[in-house]
Coordinates of all heavy atoms in Angstrom, one line a residue:
M87 N 0.6 18.9 -28.8 CA 1.7 19.4 -28.0 C 2.5 18.2 -27.5 O 2.0 17.3 -26.9 CB 1.3 20.3 -26.9 CG 2.4 21.0 -26.2 SD 1.9 21.6 -24.6 CE 2.5 20.3 -23.5
T88 N 3.8 18.2 -27.8 CA 4.7 17.1 -27.3 C 5.2 17.5 -25.9 O 5.8 18.5 -25.7 CB 5.9 16.9 -28.3 OG1 5.3 16.8 -29.6 CG2 6.7 15.7 -27.9
P89 N 5.1 16.5 -25.0 CA 5.6 16.8 -23.6 C 7.1 16.9 -23.6 O 7.7 16.2 -24.4 CB 5.1 15.6 -22.8 CG 4.2 14.9 -23.7 CD 4.4 15.3 -25.1
T90 N 7.7 17.7 -22.7 CA 9.1 17.7 -22.6 C 9.6 16.5 -21.8 O 8.8 15.8 -21.2 CB 9.5 19.0 -21.8 OG1 9.0 18.9 -20.5 CG2 9.0 20.2 -22.5
A91 N 10.9 16.3 -21.9 CA 11.5 15.2 -21.1 C 11.2 15.3 -19.6 O 11.0 14.3 -18.9 CB 13.0 15.1 -21.4
S92 N 11.2 16.5 -19.1 CA 10.9 16.7 -17.7 C 9.5 16.4 -17.4 O 9.1 15.8 -16.3 CB 11.4 18.0 -17.2 OG 10.4 19.0 -17.1
D93 N 8.5 16.8 -18.3 CA 7.1 16.4 -18.1 C 7.0 14.9 -18.0 O 6.3 14.3 -17.2 CB 6.3 16.8 -19.3 CG 6.0 18.3 -19.3 OD1 6.0 18.9 -18.2 OD2 5.7 18.9 -20.3
V94 N 7.7 14.2 -18.9 CA 7.6 12.7 -19.0 C 8.1 12.1 -17.7 O 7.5 11.2 -17.1 CB 8.3 12.2 -20.2 CG1 8.4 10.6 -20.2 CG2 7.6 12.6 -21.5
S95 N 9.3 12.6 -17.2 CA 9.8 12.0 -16.0 C 9.0 12.3 -14.8 O 8.8 11.4 -13.9 CB 11.3 12.3 -15.8 OG 11.5 13.5 -15.2
N96 N 8.4 13.5 -14.7 CA 7.4 13.8 -13.7 C 6.2 12.9 -13.7 O 5.7 12.4 -12.7 CB 6.9 15.2 -13.8 CG 7.9 16.2 -13.2 OD1 8.8 15.9 -12.5 ND2 7.8 17.5 -13.6
A97 N 5.7 12.7 -14.9 CA 4.5 11.8 -15.1 C 4.8 10.4 -14.7 O 4.0 9.7 -14.1 CB 4.1 11.9 -16.6
E98 N 6.0 9.9 -15.1 CA 6.4 8.5 -14.7 C 6.4 8.4 -13.1 O 5.9 7.4 -12.6 CB 7.7 8.1 -15.2 CG 7.7 7.9 -16.7 CD 9.0 7.6 -17.3 OE1 10.1 7.9 -16.7 OE2 9.1 7.0 -18.4
H99 N 6.9 9.4 -12.5 CA 6.9 9.4 -11.0 C 5.4 9.4 -10.5 O 5.1 8.7 -9.5 CB 7.7 10.6 -10.5 CG 7.7 10.7 -9.0 ND1 8.5 9.9 -8.3 CD2 7.0 11.4 -8.1 CE1 8.4 10.2 -7.0 NE2 7.4 11.1 -6.9
V100 N 4.6 10.2 -11.1 CA 3.2 10.3 -10.6 C 2.5 9.0 -10.8 O 1.8 8.5 -9.9 CB 2.5 11.4 -11.4 CG1 1.0 11.3 -11.3 CG2 2.9 12.8 -10.9
I101 N 2.7 8.3 -11.9 CA 2.1 7.0 -12.1 C 2.5 6.0 -11.1 O 1.7 5.2 -10.6 CB 2.4 6.4 -13.5 CG1 1.8 7.3 -14.6 CG2 2.0 5.0 -13.7 CD1 0.3 7.2 -14.8
R102 N 3.7 6.1 -10.6 CA 4.2 5.2 -9.6 C 3.6 5.5 -8.2 O 3.4 4.6 -7.4 CB 5.7 5.2 -9.5 CG 6.4 4.6 -10.6 CD 7.9 4.3 -10.3 NE 8.6 3.7 -11.4 CZ 9.3 4.4 -12.3 NH1 9.4 5.7 -12.2 NH2 9.8 3.8 -13.3
T103 N 3.4 6.8 -7.9 CA 3.0 7.2 -6.6 C 1.5 7.4 -6.4 O 1.0 7.1 -5.4 CB 3.7 8.5 -6.2 OG1 3.5 9.5 -7.2 CG2 5.2 8.2 -6.0
H104 N 0.9 7.8 -7.5 CA -0.6 8.0 -7.4 C -1.2 6.7 -8.1 O -1.6 6.8 -9.2 CB -1.1 9.3 -8.2 CG -0.7 10.5 -7.5 ND1 -1.6 11.3 -6.8 CD2 0.5 11.1 -7.3 CE1 -1.0 12.3 -6.2 NE2 0.3 12.2 -6.5
C105 N -1.3 5.7 -7.3 CA -1.7 4.4 -7.8 C -2.9 4.0 -7.0 O -3.1 4.4 -5.9 CB -0.6 3.4 -7.8 SG 0.3 3.4 -6.3
P106 N -3.8 3.1 -7.6 CA -5.0 2.7 -6.9 C -4.8 1.8 -5.7 O -4.0 0.9 -5.8 CB -5.8 2.1 -8.0 CG -4.9 1.5 -9.0 CD -3.7 2.4 -8.9
I107 N -5.6 2.0 -4.7 CA -5.7 0.9 -3.6 C -7.2 0.6 -3.5 O -8.0 1.5 -3.7 CB -5.1 1.4 -2.3 CG1 -5.6 2.8 -1.9 CG2 -3.6 1.3 -2.3 CD1 -5.1 3.1 -0.5
E108 N -7.5 -0.6 -3.2 CA -8.8 -1.1 -3.1 C -9.4 -0.7 -1.7 O -8.9 -1.1 -0.7 CB -8.9 -2.6 -3.3 CG -8.4 -3.1 -4.6 CD -9.3 -2.7 -5.8 OE1 -10.5 -2.4 -5.6 OE2 -8.7 -2.6 -6.9
W109 N -10.5 0.0 -1.7 CA -11.3 0.3 -0.5 C -12.6 -0.4 -0.7 O -13.0 -0.7 -1.8 CB -11.5 1.8 -0.4 CG -10.3 2.5 0.2 CD1 -9.0 2.5 -0.4 CD2 -10.2 3.2 1.4 NE1 -8.1 3.2 0.4 CE2 -8.8 3.7 1.5 CE3 -11.1 3.6 2.4 CZ2 -8.4 4.5 2.6 CZ3 -10.7 4.3 3.5 CH2 -9.3 4.8 3.6
P110 N -13.3 -0.6 0.4 CA -14.6 -1.4 0.3 C -15.5 -0.7 -0.7 O -16.2 -1.4 -1.5 CB -15.1 -1.3 1.7 CG -13.9 -1.2 2.6 CD -12.9 -0.4 1.8
E111 N -15.6 0.6 -0.7 CA -16.6 1.3 -1.6 C -16.1 1.7 -2.9 O -16.9 1.9 -3.8 CB -17.2 2.5 -0.8 CG -16.3 3.7 -0.8 CD -15.1 3.7 0.1 OE1 -14.8 2.6 0.7 OE2 -14.5 4.8 0.3
A112 N -14.8 1.8 -3.1 CA -14.2 2.3 -4.3 C -12.7 2.1 -4.3 O -12.1 1.9 -3.3 CB -14.6 3.8 -4.5
R113 N -12.1 2.3 -5.5 CA -10.7 2.4 -5.6 C -10.3 3.9 -5.3 O -10.9 4.8 -5.8 CB -10.2 2.0 -7.0 CG -10.5 0.6 -7.3 CD -9.5 0.1 -8.3 NE -9.7 0.8 -9.6 CZ -8.8 0.7 -10.6 NH1 -7.8 -0.1 -10.5 NH2 -9.0 1.4 -11.7
R114 N -9.3 4.0 -4.4 CA -8.8 5.3 -4.0 C -7.3 5.5 -4.4 O -6.6 4.5 -4.4 CB -9.0 5.6 -2.5 CG -10.5 5.8 -2.2 CD -10.7 6.1 -0.7 NE -12.1 6.4 -0.5 CZ -12.6 7.6 -0.7 NH1 -11.9 8.6 -1.1 NH2 -13.9 7.8 -0.4
C115 N -6.9 6.7 -4.5 CA -5.5 7.0 -4.8 C -4.7 6.8 -3.6 O -5.0 7.3 -2.5 CB -5.4 8.4 -5.3 SG -3.7 8.9 -5.6
N116 N -3.6 6.1 -3.7 CA -2.7 5.7 -2.6 C -2.0 7.0 -2.1 O -1.5 7.0 -1.0 CB -1.7 4.7 -3.1 CG -1.0 4.0 -2.0 OD1 -1.4 4.0 -0.8 ND2 0.2 3.5 -2.3
N117 N -1.9 8.0 -2.9 CA -1.2 9.2 -2.5 C -2.0 10.3 -2.0 O -1.8 10.9 -0.9 CB -0.4 9.7 -3.8 CG 0.7 10.7 -3.4 OD1 0.3 11.9 -3.1 ND2 1.9 10.4 -3.4
C118 N -3.1 10.7 -2.7 CA -3.9 11.9 -2.3 C -5.3 11.4 -1.8 O -6.0 12.2 -1.3 CB -4.1 12.9 -3.4 SG -4.6 12.2 -5.0
H119 N -5.6 10.1 -1.8 CA -6.7 9.5 -1.2 C -8.0 9.9 -1.8 O -9.1 9.7 -1.2 CB -6.7 9.8 0.3 CG -5.5 9.2 1.0 ND1 -5.1 9.7 2.2 CD2 -4.6 8.3 0.6 CE1 -4.0 9.0 2.6 NE2 -3.7 8.2 1.6
G120 N -8.0 10.6 -2.9 CA -9.2 10.9 -3.7 C -9.7 9.6 -4.4 O -9.0 8.6 -4.4
R121 N -10.8 9.7 -5.0 CA -11.3 8.6 -5.8 C -10.3 8.4 -7.0 O -9.9 9.4 -7.6 CB -12.7 9.0 -6.4 CG -13.6 7.8 -6.4 CD -15.0 8.3 -6.7 NE -15.9 8.0 -5.5 CZ -16.5 6.8 -5.3 NH1 -16.3 5.8 -6.1 NH2 -17.2 6.7 -4.3
F122 N -10.0 7.2 -7.3 CA -9.0 6.9 -8.4 C -9.8 6.7 -9.7 O -10.9 6.1 -9.7 CB -8.3 5.6 -8.1 CG -7.2 5.3 -9.0 CD1 -5.9 5.9 -8.9 CD2 -7.4 4.5 -10.2 CE1 -4.9 5.6 -9.8 CE2 -6.4 4.3 -11.1 CZ -5.2 4.8 -10.9
P123 N -9.3 7.2 -10.8 CA -8.1 8.0 -11.0 C -8.2 9.4 -10.5 O -9.2 10.1 -10.9 CB -7.8 7.9 -12.5 CG -9.1 7.7 -13.1 CD -10.0 7.0 -12.1
C124 N -7.2 9.9 -9.8 CA -7.3 11.3 -9.3 C -6.8 12.2 -10.4 O -6.3 11.7 -11.4 CB -6.4 11.4 -8.1 SG -4.6 11.1 -8.4
K125 N -7.0 13.5 -10.2 CA -6.6 14.5 -11.2 C -5.1 14.4 -11.6 O -4.7 14.5 -12.8 CB -6.9 15.9 -10.7 CG -8.3 16.2 -10.6 CD -8.9 16.5 -12.0 CE -10.4 16.7 -11.9 NZ -11.1 15.8 -12.8
T126 N -4.3 14.1 -10.6 CA -2.8 14.1 -10.8 C -2.5 12.9 -11.7 O -1.7 13.0 -12.7 CB -2.1 14.0 -9.5 OG1 -2.6 15.0 -8.6 CG2 -0.6 14.2 -9.7
H127 N -3.1 11.7 -11.4 CA -2.9 10.5 -12.2 C -3.4 10.8 -13.6 O -2.8 10.4 -14.6 CB -3.7 9.3 -11.6 CG -3.4 8.0 -12.3 ND1 -2.6 7.1 -11.8 CD2 -4.0 7.5 -13.4 CE1 -2.6 6.1 -12.7 NE2 -3.4 6.3 -13.6
E128 N -4.6 11.4 -13.8 CA -5.1 11.7 -15.1 C -4.2 12.5 -15.9 O -4.0 12.3 -17.1 CB -6.5 12.3 -15.0 CG -7.6 11.3 -14.6 CD -8.9 11.9 -14.5 OE1 -9.0 13.2 -14.4 OE2 -9.9 11.2 -14.5
W129 N -3.6 13.5 -15.3 CA -2.6 14.4 -15.9 C -1.4 13.6 -16.4 O -1.0 13.7 -17.6 CB -2.1 15.5 -15.0 CG -1.0 16.3 -15.5 CD1 -1.0 17.3 -16.4 CD2 0.4 16.0 -15.3 NE1 0.3 17.7 -16.7 CE2 1.2 16.9 -16.0 CE3 1.1 15.0 -14.5 CZ2 2.6 16.9 -16.0 CZ3 2.5 15.0 -14.5 CH2 3.2 16.0 -15.2
A130 N -0.9 12.7 -15.6 CA 0.3 11.9 -15.9 C 0.0 11.0 -17.1 O 0.8 10.8 -18.0 CB 0.7 11.2 -14.7
W131 N -1.2 10.4 -17.0 CA -1.6 9.5 -18.1 C -1.7 10.2 -19.4 O -1.2 9.7 -20.5 CB -3.0 8.8 -17.7 CG -3.3 7.6 -18.6 CD1 -3.7 7.6 -19.9 CD2 -3.1 6.3 -18.2 NE1 -3.8 6.4 -20.4 CE2 -3.5 5.5 -19.4 CE3 -2.7 5.6 -17.1 CZ2 -3.4 4.1 -19.3 CZ3 -2.7 4.2 -17.1 CH2 -3.0 3.5 -18.2
A132 N -2.3 11.4 -19.4 CA -2.4 12.2 -20.6 C -1.0 12.6 -21.2 O -0.8 12.5 -22.4 CB -3.2 13.5 -20.4
V133 N -0.1 12.9 -20.3 CA 1.3 13.3 -20.7 C 2.0 12.1 -21.4 O 2.6 12.2 -22.5 CB 2.1 13.8 -19.5 CG1 3.6 13.8 -19.9 CG2 1.6 15.1 -19.0
L134 N 1.9 10.9 -20.7 CA 2.6 9.7 -21.3 C 1.9 9.3 -22.6 O 2.6 8.8 -23.5 CB 2.6 8.6 -20.2 CG 3.5 9.0 -19.0 CD1 3.3 7.9 -17.9 CD2 4.9 9.1 -19.4
T135 N 0.6 9.4 -22.7 CA -0.1 9.1 -23.9 C 0.4 10.0 -25.0 O 0.7 9.6 -26.1 CB -1.6 9.1 -23.7 OG1 -2.0 8.2 -22.7 CG2 -2.3 8.7 -25.0
A136 N 0.5 11.3 -24.7 CA 1.0 12.3 -25.7 C 2.4 12.0 -26.1 O 2.8 12.3 -27.2 CB 0.8 13.7 -25.2
A137 N 3.2 11.4 -25.2 CA 4.6 11.1 -25.5 C 4.7 9.8 -26.2 O 5.8 9.3 -26.5 CB 5.4 11.0 -24.2
G138 N 3.6 9.1 -26.6 CA 3.6 7.9 -27.4 C 3.6 6.6 -26.6 O 3.8 5.6 -27.2
R139 N 3.5 6.7 -25.3 CA 3.4 5.4 -24.5 C 2.1 4.7 -24.7 O 1.1 5.3 -24.8 CB 3.6 5.7 -23.0 CG 4.8 6.5 -22.7 CD 6.1 5.7 -23.0 NE 7.3 6.5 -22.7 CZ 7.8 6.5 -21.4 NH1 7.4 5.8 -20.5 NH2 8.9 7.3 -21.2
S140 N 2.2 3.4 -24.8 CA 1.0 2.6 -24.9 C 0.4 2.4 -23.5 O 1.1 2.6 -22.5 CB 1.3 1.2 -25.5 OG 2.0 0.4 -24.6
E141 N -0.8 2.0 -23.4 CA -1.5 1.7 -22.1 C -0.7 0.7 -21.3 O -0.4 0.8 -20.1 CB -2.9 1.2 -22.4 CG -3.7 1.0 -21.1 CD -5.1 0.6 -21.3 OE1 -5.6 0.7 -22.4 OE2 -5.7 0.0 -20.3
N142 N -0.2 -0.4 -22.0 CA 0.5 -1.4 -21.3 C 1.9 -0.9 -20.7 O 2.3 -1.3 -19.7 CB 0.8 -2.6 -22.2 CG -0.4 -3.5 -22.3 OD1 -1.3 -3.5 -21.5 ND2 -0.5 -4.3 -23.4
E143 N 2.5 0.0 -21.5 CA 3.8 0.5 -21.0 C 3.5 1.4 -19.8 O 4.4 1.4 -18.9 CB 4.4 1.4 -22.1 CG 5.0 0.6 -23.2 CD 5.5 1.4 -24.4 OE1 4.9 2.4 -24.7 OE2 6.6 1.1 -24.9
I144 N 2.4 2.1 -19.8 CA 2.1 3.0 -18.6 C 1.8 2.1 -17.4 O 2.3 2.3 -16.3 CB 1.0 4.0 -18.9 CG1 1.4 4.9 -20.1 CG2 0.6 4.8 -17.7 CD1 0.2 5.7 -20.6
L145 N 1.0 1.1 -17.6 CA 0.6 0.2 -16.5 C 1.8 -0.5 -15.9 O 1.9 -0.8 -14.7 CB -0.4 -0.9 -17.0 CG -1.8 -0.3 -17.3 CD1 -2.7 -1.4 -17.9 CD2 -2.5 0.2 -16.0
A146 N 2.8 -0.8 -16.8 CA 4.0 -1.5 -16.3 C 4.9 -0.6 -15.4 O 5.8 -1.1 -14.7 CB 4.9 -1.9 -17.6
L147 N 4.6 0.7 -15.4 CA 5.4 1.6 -14.5 C 5.0 1.3 -13.0 O 5.8 1.6 -12.1 CB 5.1 3.1 -14.8 CG 5.6 3.6 -16.1 CD1 5.0 4.9 -16.4 CD2 7.1 3.6 -16.1
D148 N 3.8 0.8 -12.8 CA 3.4 0.5 -11.4 C 4.0 -0.9 -11.1 O 3.4 -1.9 -11.4 CB 1.9 0.5 -11.4 CG 1.3 0.2 -10.0 OD1 2.2 -0.1 -9.1 OD2 0.1 0.2 -9.8
V149 N 5.1 -0.9 -10.4 CA 5.9 -2.1 -10.2 C 5.6 -2.7 -8.8 O 6.4 -3.5 -8.3 CB 7.4 -1.9 -10.4 CG1 7.7 -1.6 -11.8 CG2 7.9 -0.7 -9.5
R150 N 4.6 -2.2 -8.1 CA 4.3 -2.7 -6.8 C 4.0 -4.2 -6.8 O 3.5 -4.7 -7.8 CB 3.0 -2.1 -6.2 CG 3.2 -0.6 -6.0 CD 1.9 0.0 -5.6 NE 0.9 -0.2 -6.7 CZ -0.4 -0.1 -6.5 NH1 -0.9 0.1 -5.3 NH2 -1.2 -0.3 -7.5
T151 N 4.5 -4.9 -5.8 CA 4.1 -6.3 -5.7 C 2.9 -6.6 -4.9 O 2.3 -7.6 -4.9 CB 5.3 -7.1 -5.0 OG1 5.6 -6.4 -3.8 CG2 6.5 -7.1 -5.9
G152 N 2.4 -5.5 -4.2 CA 1.2 -5.6 -3.4 C 0.6 -4.2 -3.2 O 1.3 -3.2 -3.5
P153 N -0.6 -4.1 -2.7 CA -1.2 -2.7 -2.6 C -0.5 -1.8 -1.7 O -0.7 -0.6 -1.8 CB -2.6 -3.0 -2.2 CG -2.6 -4.4 -1.6 CD -1.5 -5.1 -2.3
W154 N 0.3 -2.3 -0.8 CA 1.0 -1.4 0.2 C 2.5 -1.2 0.0 O 3.1 -0.5 0.8 CB 0.7 -1.8 1.6 CG -0.8 -1.9 1.9 CD1 -1.5 -3.1 1.9 CD2 -1.7 -0.8 2.1 NE1 -2.8 -2.7 2.1 CE2 -3.0 -1.4 2.2 CE3 -1.6 0.6 2.1 CZ2 -4.1 -0.6 2.4 CZ3 -2.7 1.3 2.3 CH2 -3.9 0.8 2.5
S155 N 3.0 -1.9 -1.0 CA 4.5 -1.8 -1.1 C 4.9 -0.6 -1.9 O 4.1 0.0 -2.6 CB 5.0 -3.1 -1.8 OG 4.4 -3.2 -3.0
Ligands
ZN53 ZN1 -3.5 10.9 -6.4

């Protein structure tokens, strides 16, 4: 199944907002605070992969300069 343009733009937003932060015991999602990768992030990754994005292209969406920015 090919994702729609709106799926892809939602997924890009999710990759930017549901990103990992380092906790002493594990990486956690910066948005929903579950263990990373959270379900939302996994959904977004699957959508972007189905849309033909490479892993590097998806990782490049996370443009943070530090864990809290
Ligand atoms: Zn999350």
Side-chain angles (χ1 to χ4, degrees):
M87 189 195 97
T88 308
T90 65
S92 96
D93 283 338
V94 169
S95 85
N96 282 339
E98 287 176 341
H99 180 76
V100 163
I101 293 290
R102 289 195 180 96
T103 53
H104 290 252
C105 44
I107 49 174
E108 300 293 336
W109 282 59
E111 79 285 9
R113 294 204 299 168
R114 289 184 175 274
C115 174
N116 195 24
N117 191 288
C118 52
H119 301 161
R121 219 169 243 280
F122 186 86
C124 65
K125 290 281 173 236
T126 312
H127 184 101
E128 285 180 342
W129 169 84
W131 195 282
V133 167
L134 293 174
T135 302
R139 304 296 180 87
S140 72
E141 184 177 343
N142 281 341
E143 285 174 323
I144 299 171
L145 289 174
L147 292 170
D148 182 355
V149 293
R150 294 172 301 159
T151 53
W154 302 104
S155 58

